Amino acid sequence: MNLRMRLILRLSSSHSRSHSQLRRITTASPSIFTPLSLSHRRLATATSTSRFWLCLLRRFHTSNNLHCSPMESSSDNKKEQVPPAIEDPEKKKKKEEKAREKELKKQKFLQKQAQQQVQQPSNASKKSEKKTVKRGGAQDENPEDYVDPETPVGDKKRMSQQLAKQYSPAAVEKSWYEWWEKSNFFVADANSSKPPFVIVLPPPNVTGALHIGHALTAAIEDMMIRWRRMSGYNALWVPGMDHAGIATQVVVEKKIMRERKLTRHDLGREKFVSEVWEWKNKYGGTILQQLRRLGASLDWSRECFTMDEKRSKAVTEAFVRLYNQKLIYRDLRLVNWDCALRTAISDIEVDYIDIKERTLLKVPGYDKPVEFGVLTKFAYPLDGNLGEIVVATTRIETMLGDTAIAVHPEDGRYKHFHGKFVVHPFNGRKLPIICDAVLVDPEFGTGAVKITPAHDANDFEVGKRHNLEFINVFTDDGKINSNGGSEFLGMPRFKLREAVKEALEKKGLYRGSENNEMRLGVCSRSNDVIEPMIKPQWYVNCNDMAKQALHAAVDEENKKLEIIPKQYLADWKRWLENIRDWCISRQLWWGHQIPAWYVTLEDDILQEFGAYNDHWVVARNEEEAREEASQRYNGKKFQIGQDPDVLDTWFSSGLFPLSVLGWPDDTEDLKAFYPTSVLETGHDILFFWVARMVMLGMKLGGDLPFRKIYLHPMIRDAHGRKMSKSLGNVIDPIEVINGISLQGLHKRLEEGNLDPRELAIAIEGQKKDFPTGIEECGADALRFALVSYTAQSDKINLDIQRVVGYRQWCNKLWNAVRFAMSKLGDDYIPPANLNPDILPFSCQWILSVLNKTISKTVNSLESSEFSQATTAVYSWWQYQLCDVFIEAIKPYFTAGNDLKYASERRFAQDTLWFCLDNGLRLLHPFMPFVTEELWQRLPSSKECKRAESIMICDYPSTVESWNNEKVENEMDLVESTVKSLRSLAKERRDRRAAFVLCRTPVVTEIMNSHQLEIVTLANLSSLTVTENEAVPSGYVDAVVNESLSVYLELQGASSAELEEAKKKKIDELNKQIERLEKIMNAPGYREKVSPEIGAKNQEKLDSLKERLLLEEAAGLSLTSK
């Protein structure tokens, strides 16, 4: 049996599958087996099968003129698509050159037309003459008609008489925000009967400027708040700023040192704090102005600051209440001390660096890099000159504070040392040799461990177990104090490391060093190496609050808190189950001073401040504190002084959902808007901020502060790298909005504090990533791009070219509305509603798919699938409205006043207006500026009062009467036909004749009914519908599905070219099948993939194989010619 017959039998066998299987494949691959309505399928199935295969057999045994049947690739599947990346610059350049040539031809044509009008009086009506001049008579255009007049700040934007020919972000985004704000469109009403929807903006640092992470937060939250506001909610988005204790204090300290060569200690606390307030009032709040530039519709009437009077009152009240409930206490413990900032920091503010071996690292305050990853050995001489014991340590400098040597009780090497002492080589102090099975690993180092309880977390616990002395040898700024001995007094700790090593060598006690793998803790704010130090601090007991916060999120039967994406629920559970008490005191001057006063009694033996831990009183103010001290120490003389420490910034931030609404007062806002609706932020502060808000909200507010937590991804550059000034890949959102040259980017780097080597690397990085700088994109394009990226649940690899692509898409929207305005005319008045039953086919179709887009968008927003919402909106505008509908209705208007299309023309106008009105409202939460500008230009219906702004319009909702599955199925077939014809035509745009071969009456009827749409969309000169199986000569063909083939007149293509194209198509299908089979045959595939995805992959594989069979069949037919 020859190859052809084997293939035919293979095809026949494949086609004999059940009708249900065939329908499943049809659904899975609409570009090949276009779905028809159910009645159409039933009719088509019975009549088409035998005729299709007879036709295929006939083609293998006849030698007609050349023809081929390329099928569409999987990329042509009629699915919602995200926009492609920006096109290749060379292709773009060629397109621009073609566009310029086209424009020159158009101008020549217009000039020729104008000359003819002068020579030969026109017979057209005056109205037609006016239209011609308006549309094409460039010589009569007034350039000023296309320029927006100046708008006074706060007034409604004054727009140009004519819609500008090209979209300009700077022009479009001007003036609207000031008018929105002045019109109080952002203000929520606490007395409204509407259901509340409330978001609290994560308060940015007062020191900060807008970075790309802030822009992502603003884009997502503003999208949510605008959508809910348009959907009938009493929407409140509360803005605020965080006082950022450490960051702000450092900025102002550097400022006064730079300008006046003074430290904060030179100024004193009161004057320094006054300086910080002055700086805050002058420079703070820059970021809030930048948020306005992004279009963030925040309720500025409720703007707050974590250290303003109301928020300070809330912080004090929270501290007092928690103290009275025994949840806040003071204790002497080992803390994470930052010597550069001179303050304690919490555990979650410590970052860890994994070090594999000897490594040099830069440490703040040191000119030379410091060595880490080394295990140093030295000997302690035994008391009585009985020998020595060798210990190993990674922090040899802390040996000045050693108070014991620990060994494992079962380690035979040291059993004879139990109970003995060693002598400290620098101060003569006797250190006991103790046994501790918990700490000591006999296999690590020498098996003997030096114990420094005041400077190591593990040693601290050993010290408590064995009642050892706790000796602190460091000052707050990391220098050696008097406990370290006069020989090393005042020496910085890492310089001490070398000094101790040299001193041990001189004494003959140094025993060498070796590489050692370790984890090094550094402060996330200063990058200083953490120094564990014993300090008295205030703590929050988190155990019970953590259990409540955990239960709210994990109790499946009564879940009160939803975390999105769900993957972070495991992190939530792990952290809250292992929570440690929260150190909330900081040794700073800028912040909320702790509302605790120390009472010094006249008869106290120790008169130092804080000497007795039971002498503290906590109160709302000094007067209350004195009153409480009088009651406690009745009749005794005393003095009181407030704790100089301030509270951790996260403590005031943790109260934010409560304090911004007026807590602890019982305000109208608190009653109307607490709890809030959703908390949206980055997953990196899930524990810093989010968990603490939940714990404090439940404890102090009596309820969860929000019902849903949405955690957005972290933004990286296009290569997946963390953004860093030293890499030159930091993206400033304002520079993306306004655009910036490469030289401008370089200048920003040069004004920073990079060293010459880092600067050179950063400049090279900018040249590579932004060779021509960053093109002006506007806020709308940036917002849409950022929201579309949220499908990447962990990290966003931000490519600026994708933002540029959306800016170009804005131009597409602009042109769509320009086209519509030219077709609607100056006197057009839209109807109040549409009756789809009397509309033309394309109008019925666009309304039906608009309905589905509205439903998909709303459902995606409801389920927090924001990227899917952008895809749905984008796909409708781009692929259905612009690419299909607007093109399909053009014949109704190009015929002038032809009565043949009079009713269709009016129906198309009405449908177009409804599409633009709904489409702009649908898009508004994502792109507020361009949608407001275009919507304001749409004609309005006289039968109902128009809203003042699009942002207070109703969000689109589905209209039941617009649904039309039959019409959608027919348009699916029309689009598949058009795609096949366009594929045959390739890049050529010359109009050619075509015909379609239908193998069922149903398909014949559809093709006959929609010839106009096919001719228009496929750019044909004519279209013939036939059921004749005879294959014409001079045509190239393609199989649309088993019931339909298309034939396009062959012009200029050789047999070899067509055969090569067919071969490429078959090769591509084989590659797709191979890739999918590799995935499906991978080990563990069935266990890892859900049944739904598995079924979809199988259907896709079946569809690809079916298409391959058809292509191979057509290929054999081609080679037989």
Side-chain angles (χ1 to χ4, degrees), residues 26 113 149 172 466 518 715 787 836 881:
T26 300
Q113 189 181 56
V172 168
H466 296 272
M518 63 179 292
I715 299 184
V787 175
L881 182 74

Side-chain angles (χ1 to χ4, degrees), residues 252-265:
V252 178
E253 282 193 83
K254 287 181 178 178
K255 178 177 179 290
I256 61 175
M257 175 56 70
R258 182 174 63 251
E259 295 176 355
R260 287 178 269 174
K261 304 300 180 186
L262 297 174
T263 67
R264 63 182 165 112
H265 300 283

Side-chain angles (χ1 to χ4, degrees), residues 200-401:
V200 172
L201 176 75
N205 287 353
V206 68
T207 57
L210 193 71
H211 61 63
I212 200 69
H214 292 130
L216 176 61
T217 295
I220 295 172
E221 293 184 13
D222 193 44
M223 172 206 64
M224 289 193 283
I225 213 76
R226 286 180 182 268
W227 163 55
R228 291 293 187 180
R229 188 184 289 122
M230 295 175 73
S231 300
Y233 284 81
N234 186 22
L236 171 62
W237 188 16
V238 187
M241 278 191 305
D242 192 284
H243 64 277
I246 293 175
T248 307
Q249 179 162 313
V250 168
V251 166
V252 178
E253 282 193 83
K254 287 181 178 178
K255 178 177 179 290
I256 61 175
M257 175 56 70
R258 182 174 63 251
E259 295 176 355
R260 287 178 269 174
K261 304 300 180 186
L262 297 174
T263 67
R264 63 182 165 112
H265 300 283
D266 295 329
L267 292 178
R269 181 168 189 151
E270 185 176 347
K271 193 168 183 181
F272 176 77
V273 170
S274 177
E275 290 271 349
V276 181
W277 274 108
E278 185 179 334
W279 180 91
K280 181 264 176 190
N281 294 330
K282 187 174 182 180
Y283 299 106
T286 300
I287 195 168
L288 298 182
Q289 295 303 319
Q290 293 172 323
L291 286 169
R292 287 175 164 90
R293 183 65 186 88
L294 268 172
S297 58
L298 290 147
D299 186 346
W300 297 108
S301 69
R302 291 176 165 88
E303 181 184 341
C304 58
F305 177 54
T306 51
M307 277 187 63
D308 63 27
E309 185 178 349
K310 290 182 178 179
R311 264 43 68 178
S312 295
K313 177 182 177 181
V315 168
T316 298
E317 184 65 27
F319 189 97
V320 171
R321 290 192 189 184
L322 293 172
Y323 179 81
N324 291 337
Q325 294 175 37
K326 311 297 184 186
L327 293 174
I328 285 181
Y329 62 94
R330 185 175 174 86
D331 196 10
L332 185 68
R333 290 188 181 182
L334 204 66
V335 298
N336 302 304
W337 188 261
D338 185 312
C339 297
L341 299 175
R342 303 189 197 183
T343 182
I345 62 172
S346 65
D347 291 340
I348 56 176
E349 290 172 303
V350 179
D351 292 336
Y352 288 94
I353 302 172
D354 290 318
I355 296 175
K356 299 293 183 184
E357 58 186 2
R358 195 180 305 255
T359 304
L360 294 176
L361 297 176
K362 290 181 67 174
V363 177
Y366 292 84
D367 297 331
K368 296 180 180 179
V370 178
E371 185 180 68
F372 297 94
V374 175
L375 191 66
T376 302
K377 299 175 184 178
F378 69 93
Y380 266 115
L382 286 163
D383 187 28
N385 295 320
L386 298 176
E388 66 179 33
I389 188 167
V390 178
V391 295
T393 178
T394 58
R395 304 178 65 222
I396 193 172
E397 66 275 11
T398 63
M399 63 88 63
L400 298 179

Side-chain angles (χ1 to χ4, degrees), residues 603-651:
D603 57 358
D604 280 341
I605 297 173
L606 299 175
Q607 291 288 309
E608 293 86 354
F609 186 90
Y612 298 100
N613 206 39
D614 60 351
H615 278 29
W616 289 94
V617 294
V618 170
R620 292 170 180 83
N621 51 53
E622 186 173 337
E623 184 181 348
E624 279 190 16
R626 286 189 179 278
E627 185 178 340
E628 182 176 338
S630 296
Q631 292 176 0
R632 185 187 300 181
Y633 304 106
N634 187 23
K636 292 185 179 182
K637 291 183 179 181
F638 63 85
Q639 292 181 342
I640 64 171
Q642 189 173 0
D643 191 333
D645 290 353
V646 300
L647 286 165
D648 179 10
T649 301
W650 294 109
F651 187 84

Side-chain angles (χ1 to χ4, degrees), residues 716-719 721 723-724 727-732 735-736 740-746 748-749 762-775 798-801 803-804:
R716 301 288 185 260
D717 71 6
H719 312 292
R721 300 174 302 177
M723 291 190 181
S724 163
L727 292 175
N729 62 351
V730 173
I731 296 174
D732 181 340
E735 292 173 351
V736 178
I740 188 171
S741 66
L742 180 60
Q743 291 71 29
L745 290 171
H746 291 344
R748 172 161 59 80
L749 283 176
I763 286 176
E764 284 305 309
Q766 287 184 339
K767 288 178 180 178
K768 183 178 179 181
D769 289 342
F770 314 110
T772 58
I774 297 175
E775 185 178 335
L798 178 63
D799 187 350
I800 291 299
Q801 295 308 311
V803 186
V804 174

Side-chain angles (χ1 to χ4, degrees), residues 444-493:
F444 180 78
T446 64
V449 181
K450 58 184 282 299
I451 303 299
T452 321
H455 294 291
D456 183 272
N458 293 322
D459 293 2
F460 179 81
E461 298 300 327
V462 174
K464 288 198 297 184
R465 285 198 295 271
H466 296 272
N467 197 27
L468 299 176
E469 188 178 2
F470 290 70
I471 301 175
N472 175 27
V473 297
F474 295 123
T475 61
D476 287 353
D477 59 351
K479 294 184 175 67
I480 300 305
N481 62 22
S482 58
N483 291 332
S486 58
E487 182 180 352
F488 306 108
L489 184 65
M491 191 175 290
R493 55 183 170 150

